[in-house]
Amino acid sequence: MAAQFGRLRKGAVNTTVAAVVVAALAASQAPGVTTDDAGRKVTTGTQPSPDTPAENSATGNSPYYTDLPPLKSPNPSPTTGTPVTQGTSEAGIPATVLDAYKKAANALQESKPGCNLPWELLAAIGKVESGQARGGRVDANGNTLSKILGPQLNGNGFASISDTDGGAYDGDSSYDRAVGPMQFIPSTWEWAGRDGNGDGKKDPNNVYDAALAAGHYLCRFGWDLSTKGDLDSAILSYNNSQDYLNLVLTWLEYYRKGTHEIPDGTGTLPADRSDDTAGASPTPTTPGSPATPTTPSSPSTPRPGGDGGSTSPKPTPPPSTTPPATPAPTPTDTVHHLEDAGTAKLSAMAGDAFTEKITARAETKAGKAVPKVRIRFAIIGATDAAFSTGEKYATVLTNSIGEAVAPALKAGENTGEFVVRTTVVGRTVSGLDYTATVTERAADTLARTGEDALTCSPGGEFADQVEVKATYKGAVADKVAATATLIKSADDATENDKGPYFKDADGKPLRTLTGLTTDAKGLLKLPKLYADDTTGTFLLRINTAGGATLTVELKVAAADTSPSPTPSEPASGTDSASPSPGA
């Protein structure tokens, strides 16, 4: 069935049947997908950017399967658990592959709930990229039984992406190839790869790892996939093609209506591809075999499951006697070194964003700027700092003056230094190391939140607790470390042994508090204060990281016990109300 619909899409059937297919699909299009008069799918809204380099997509804009979903939707099944409804292998999803999609979506729901990633989107992309891992040809741990590789991205009908991994992932030391069931190119997998099955490895040929990596890739930049604009942007970032977007949205809508589980290895591989080579890619390879299979010398029969391919042998062309032409050097080939492009000191307080961005410039040996070269930024060292994308790695294309600006850095809670290493992707030249420093959270101002005088009688307790607010450059200073000490005098900050005190866990007097921290609003409320029998005026000093200091006055005085004065009385025998004699 998949092959039939792939051929329908290419116009290999009569107009009447094609019209039926188009009408049925139009009734179940994904949101934003419409059909023009010729039956082509058109998505309103986001368009691919022609300026977006292929290497900045997950797949390097590699070819993909173009078969459309069956006309009849699959039987609905729950989106969680293990569905048992059976149907055609073409409409179903192999059990292990389906499990990988759902586990990845559940993990993203916990780590990035605002992304709203549906597992059906992973299934749609997996269908288009590899036919659900070539019909579910995976083992119980999710490893593909043979490697799934896209064609060489050598510029011959595809993007030109020189080797970035020394062949470690794709077995090709000349050019990159998309790898695995979700078809990541090696340079993207290097930073986007995830361990989805908990075996301690990040393997693009494992469907659990690849599905989780795809989920994180689609959820970067704070995208909310429940909105059409962000959904379109995320899909286009995977493969920058309007046709690809339309196709993935169609499969997404199809799977949202329900699907069913089929046994591993029984799925049907799609027949048609975007590069018009039916059934040819992604290419399966067995471990240790060449990345590109040789032409068979005898007729071959298509493998069960519809892997496609011709049943007739193709003659092997005679070896060419003409020496191959020397390819023109790419921009990457001309890079001799990297130069810093005016990056200032990199320093930020824990939890804050770095105000300065790293800027590196690619240059030739003569010092000429090299545009359109991929620069890789990698955070090195034991730090929880990351780029604003949430990742430890970022790849940026140099602009017209040869400069690449890394995404903003965001400090974590770990203080100290770490390194950002800058290298040229696909070129072995000396890189640049930038040292970044994370300092502890600080405050520069402390102020009491109340104005009432703090007084107490000897042996009693203060009615009000001391509360202060910390700020830094006018903004709330949260999670700032502080200490509080009852000192001897304004000029002597040593701990006082008399006067007010706090209590420790055993109820004993305590006149220094450490390990204090302001809350999310910058507030710090001290424990209750008590007084011994010493009267007088005492000082409480509060200090924070960053140098903010506040001294609070405390008074201990005995209550006034003298009697209140009474009104004076008139002298005896005198009536103040009587008039004087002779008046």
Side-chain angles (χ1 to χ4, degrees):
M1 183 68 75
Q4 293 174 357
F5 284 107
R7 287 191 289 274
L8 284 173
R9 189 174 186 274
K10 292 178 179 293
V13 292
N14 62 52
T15 305
T16 302
V17 177
V20 173
V21 175
V22 169
L25 286 172
S28 61
Q29 294 287 5
V33 178
T34 59
T35 307
D36 65 13
D37 293 337
R40 294 178 297 234
K41 295 184 297 300
V42 179
T43 299
T44 57
T46 304
Q47 298 290 326
S49 169
D51 299 325
T52 302
E55 56 265 35
N56 283 2
S57 70
T59 68
N61 296 341
S62 294
Y64 53 89
Y65 288 115
T66 58
D67 293 47
L68 295 169
L71 287 176
K72 186 177 180 180
S73 297
N75 294 326
S77 64
T79 57
T80 58
T82 304
V84 295
T85 307
Q86 294 297 310
T88 64
S89 60
E90 186 172 345
I93 300 177
T96 299
V97 179
L98 180 62
D99 184 55
Y101 296 151
K102 292 186 175 182
K103 285 185 176 177
N106 288 338
L108 266 297
Q109 184 58 37
E110 293 183 7
S111 62
K112 296 182 179 179
C115 177
N116 295 304
L117 170 75
W119 68 261
E120 293 91 343
L121 177 57
L122 296 176
I125 291 175
K127 179 70 173 182
V128 170
E129 292 295 345
S130 68
Q132 310 298 19
R134 297 188 65 81
R137 289 166 176 79
V138 296
D139 63 21
N141 295 319
N143 299 306
T144 58
L145 300 183
S146 58
K147 285 188 176 182
I148 302 174
L149 298 175
Q152 270 192 340
L153 297 176
N154 57 10
N156 184 18
F158 313 112
S160 178
I161 303 179
S162 299
D163 175 61
T164 63
D165 65 331
Y169 293 121
D170 56 12
D172 193 325
S173 58
S174 299
Y175 295 92
D176 272 352
R177 297 169 177 254
V179 181
M182 302 305 278
Q183 290 289 278
F184 279 96
I185 55 174
S187 59
T188 302
W189 181 262
E190 186 65 24
W191 62 264
R194 294 292 191 280
D195 177 13
N197 62 352
D199 64 356
K201 297 184 294 183
K202 300 175 183 179
D203 185 358
N205 300 295
N206 181 280
V207 70
Y208 288 99
D209 294 0
L212 185 60
H216 277 278
Y217 185 90
L218 294 165
C219 286
R220 71 200 195 286
F221 302 135
W223 280 329
D224 178 0
L225 303 188
S226 66
T227 65
K228 184 182 183 309
D230 284 0
L231 176 62
D232 288 359
S233 295
I235 296 172
L236 286 171
S237 78
Y238 212 89
N239 192 310
N240 191 40
S241 160
Q242 187 72 36
D243 288 340
Y244 182 87
L245 171 65
N246 294 342
L247 186 61
V248 170
L249 288 174
T250 302
W251 277 105
L252 170 60
E253 186 66 14
Y254 178 78
Y255 285 133
R256 274 177 165 164
K257 292 180 179 179
T259 187
H260 56 272
E261 176 186 294
I262 60 175
D264 290 345
T266 63
T268 301
L269 188 67
D272 295 315
R273 294 195 314 152
S274 58
D275 60 346
D276 296 323
T277 52
S281 180
T283 305
T285 64
T286 54
S289 66
T292 304
T294 58
T295 303
S297 57
S298 60
S300 60
T301 303
R303 287 179 292 177
D307 282 357
S310 172
T311 58
S312 300
K314 296 181 180 179
T316 303
S320 173
T321 57
T322 304
T326 303
T330 65
T332 300
D333 294 333
T334 66
V335 177
H336 178 265
H337 61 273
L338 290 175
E339 287 285 343
D340 175 48
T343 305
K345 182 179 180 182
L346 296 167
S347 181
M349 197 181 298
D352 288 351
F354 285 74
T355 56
E356 180 70 15
K357 291 184 178 181
I358 297 173
T359 305
R361 183 173 56 253
E363 295 183 353
T364 65
K365 187 175 183 179
K368 183 179 179 180
V370 185
K372 297 183 179 181
V373 171
R374 287 175 295 150
I375 304 299
R376 186 169 183 263
F377 300 90
I379 296 175
I380 308 296
T383 178
D384 55 351
F387 291 111
S388 57
T389 58
E391 308 291 344
K392 298 282 188 180
Y393 302 93
T395 302
V396 180
L397 203 69
T398 56
N399 58 21
S400 59
I401 59 174
E403 292 183 356
V405 182
L409 285 166
K410 178 82 162 44
E413 295 302 322
N414 296 342
T415 59
E417 293 184 347
F418 65 91
V419 170
V420 179
R421 182 158 297 159
T422 307
T423 55
V424 180
V425 177
R427 179 82 168 154
T428 305
V429 297
S430 298
L432 295 175
D433 280 355
Y434 294 85
T435 300
T437 304
V438 179
T439 60
E440 64 180 334
R441 293 173 181 263
D444 56 16
T445 305
L446 281 174
R448 277 191 65 198
T449 58
E451 298 179 355
D452 294 342
L454 299 167
T455 61
C456 180
S457 59
E461 62 182 49
F462 287 81
D464 297 323
Q465 291 176 244
V466 177
E467 184 181 65
V468 298
K469 183 173 184 178
T471 56
Y472 183 78
K473 295 182 179 179
V476 167
D478 62 326
K479 300 181 182 179
V480 177
T483 60
T485 306
L486 290 148
I487 60 176
K488 290 184 176 180
S489 69
D491 299 325
D492 186 355
T494 57
E495 181 180 292
N496 204 340
D497 57 358
K498 296 181 178 64
Y501 60 92
F502 302 103
K503 288 184 179 180
D504 65 12
D506 298 324
K508 296 180 180 179
L510 184 68
R511 291 187 169 88
T512 297
L513 298 177
T514 59
L516 304 173
T517 306
T518 61
D519 65 13
K521 297 180 180 180
L523 298 176
L524 174 63
K525 192 170 188 176
L526 300 182
K528 185 170 287 189
L529 277 161
Y530 302 87
D532 61 13
D533 294 333
T534 310
T535 60
T537 299
F538 301 89
L539 300 178
L540 169 66
R541 181 161 292 172
I542 305 169
N543 298 301
T544 69
T549 299
L550 177 67
T551 301
V552 180
E553 193 174 83
L554 307 170
K555 291 185 178 180
V556 180
D560 187 357
T561 58
S562 60
S564 300
T566 57
S568 59
E569 297 179 357
S572 178
T574 302
D575 186 356
S576 60
S578 301
S580 301

